[in-house]
Amino acid sequence: MSDVASTFRDQYGAEPDGLWAAPGRVNLIGEHTDYNDGFVLPFALPERVVAAASRADAGWRVWSDLEEEPASFDDPGEPGAVSGWAAYVAGVVWALRDAGYEVPPANLALTSDVPLGAGVSSSAALESAVLTALIDLGGLDIPVADRPAIAQRAENVYVGAPTGIMDQSASIRCQAGQALFLDCRSLEVEQIPFDVAAEGLAVLVVNSNAPHRHVDGEYGARRKSCEEAARLLGVPALRDVAADGLDETLERLDDHVMRRRVRHVVTENQRVLDTVELLRSGRIREIGPLMTSSHASMRDDFEITVPEVDVAVEAALMAGAYGARMTGGGFGGCVLALIDADRADATAAAVADAYAEHGFTAPTPFVAVPSQGATRL
Ligand code: GAF
């Protein structure tokens, strides 16, 4: 990660007013439940976007060490007016204004070590870092609980990606050593202690490095199917479908594919609640089987996995993981495995061997430590 304060000095000829950081995330469990008003349990990664920023006289200027050219705009205009990576920055300015806030003109320099295209929310980290910087620079009085929805609107309306509220919530509201239990309807959170190291455990993340396949279209299609199912079942959202008696409820739907989509969401919500119960009583190892059934549900019912992630999950389990699952939106991305801390290298090697046997591009493993959400440094 580059020294963003010195980039700022080089580009703008002055010290920044401050540095702000916001992390990427992995989701322990609760996939495609957020836009169904359900439950999620992400934690923040140490990998983060850092923004050096100062108030300016007019407009917004942004340097990113990942890009050749700076972006600048005098006004974010209407959604879509600014495109490419700068749309995430313009989108945050737009969403803050749209929510009625006076946004300070600013100069920014950005750096990031959040892996791109790995399903660990590099875009939410970018939005959240810029949002936090602009809120502080402008002295805007916005409660932390209200911030993720602003960053989500930047992504949904300005950038045009129909995501839920999990990633921005994780980047903004997570705390070190905890997983964030979020009710995506009420937006209430509970910090759930997740000190894996104290139990001699680790969460191994394996970036599948699978090429992304039709992610945007498939994500939107899953979301549509869930909303249509809720309409047909006469409930506001699939969160309102009870896990008890699910089979009878599903019989009310003619479409077999839709039945499976609903079954994933309803059982996944229950798995989040069960995971939280176990973690509250310190039984971390016992969440493993819930992680593994979450993966099976994503593979068989929601159909959002790809061979690379399925092979990584199988190999991690064969190597002795307590549980393993894909994390994030799907069609590639990362796999999480809950393992004994001293098994990280062996598990990563087992996944790499399985990849070699299948002729897949080698995966990238790293150990995830639950870290702090967005903050001024
Ligand atoms: C992506 C989305 F951005 C989230 O809102 C969430 O739906 C996730 O996929 C799936 O759980 O990360």
Side-chain angles (χ1 to χ4, degrees):
M1 188 140 95
S2 71
D3 176 359
V4 73
S6 80
T7 307
F8 189 96
R9 277 191 294 273
D10 292 349
Q11 299 304 335
Y12 301 110
E15 288 294 324
D17 289 346
L19 298 178
W20 290 263
R25 64 96 189 95
V26 289
N27 187 20
L28 193 51
I29 199 159
E31 229 62 81
H32 287 258
T33 44
D34 59 352
Y35 56 78
N36 288 299
D37 278 4
F39 305 104
V40 294
L41 191 61
F43 65 85
L45 292 170
E47 288 75 18
R48 58 194 188 172
V49 171
V50 181
S54 283
R55 287 186 76 118
D57 294 335
W60 291 267
R61 221 160 164 238
V62 197
W63 280 89
S64 161
D65 69 356
L66 300 177
E67 306 293 330
E68 300 273 299
E69 296 293 327
S72 67
F73 51 94
D74 293 335
D75 192 287
E78 289 304 307
V82 176
S83 57
W85 67 275
Y88 294 95
V89 180
V92 168
V93 174
W94 175 86
L96 275 168
R97 278 189 174 172
D98 197 55
Y101 297 102
E102 201 165 312
V103 189
N107 290 330
L108 299 108
L110 304 170
T111 188
S112 174
D113 61 356
V114 184
L116 297 177
V120 294
S121 298
S122 55
S123 57
L126 170 55
E127 293 152 2
S128 303
V130 171
L131 179 73
T132 311
L134 292 177
I135 287 173
D136 282 0
L137 285 177
L140 308 180
D141 184 15
I142 308 180
V144 170
D146 295 346
R147 297 179 183 190
I150 296 172
Q152 184 198 11
R153 258 176 80 68
E155 178 127 6
N156 289 176
V157 183
Y158 199 93
V159 178
T163 57
I165 200 165
M166 170 171 70
D167 301 347
Q168 293 81 5
S169 300
S171 189
I172 291 170
R173 303 182 78 179
C174 278
Q175 293 179 6
Q178 325 267 335
L180 183 82
F181 175 36
L182 170 68
D183 177 334
C184 298
R185 172 171 280 166
S186 68
L187 299 184
E188 275 174 24
V189 300
E190 181 183 340
Q191 302 289 342
I192 306 289
F194 189 56
D195 188 355
V196 281
E199 292 289 317
L201 298 170
V203 176
L204 180 72
V205 182
V206 180
N207 182 350
S208 70
N209 290 332
H212 273 259
R213 304 169 175 102
H214 317 297
V215 188
D216 292 348
E218 294 288 350
Y219 185 96
R222 294 302 181 283
R223 187 170 180 157
K224 261 211 177 103
S225 171
C226 290
E227 287 166 356
E228 175 64 3
R231 195 185 64 75
L232 291 170
L233 292 170
V235 290
L238 292 185
R239 161 11 172 333
D240 302 299
V241 176
D244 283 345
L246 178 59
D247 287 345
E248 291 87 80
T249 306
L250 293 179
E251 279 168 22
R252 291 166 46 203
L253 296 170
D254 294 335
D255 184 323
H256 284 255
V257 173
M258 190 181 273
R259 285 185 187 181
R260 286 191 280 115
R261 304 297 188 248
V262 174
R263 190 165 56 199
H264 166 72
V265 173
V266 175
T267 58
E268 184 77 351
N269 270 327
Q270 188 59 47
R271 282 186 287 271
V272 178
L273 299 177
D274 293 346
T275 301
V276 167
E277 268 317 301
L278 288 169
L279 292 181
R280 278 194 190 120
S281 46
R283 292 152 67 190
I284 301 186
R285 277 178 186 76
E286 292 174 50
I287 73 170
L290 292 165
M291 295 170 69
T292 306
S293 15
S294 167
H295 186 78
S297 179
M298 289 189 284
R299 183 191 60 213
D300 303 335
D301 280 347
F302 220 58
E303 296 180 285
I304 53 172
T305 71
V306 293
E308 288 88 338
V309 303
D310 293 336
V311 165
V313 164
E314 279 307 312
L317 292 171
M318 293 288 286
Y322 295 99
R325 63 183 292 275
M326 183 189 75
T327 185
F331 307 99
C334 288
V335 160
L336 300 183
L338 181 67
I339 57 172
D340 285 323
D342 59 4
R343 295 281 303 158
D345 289 345
T347 311
V351 176
D353 288 349
Y355 264 49
E357 270 172 36
H358 283 80
F360 297 153
T361 305
T364 315
F366 61 99
V367 169
V369 181
S371 299
Q372 182 58 41
T375 183
R376 185 172 188 155
L377 299 177

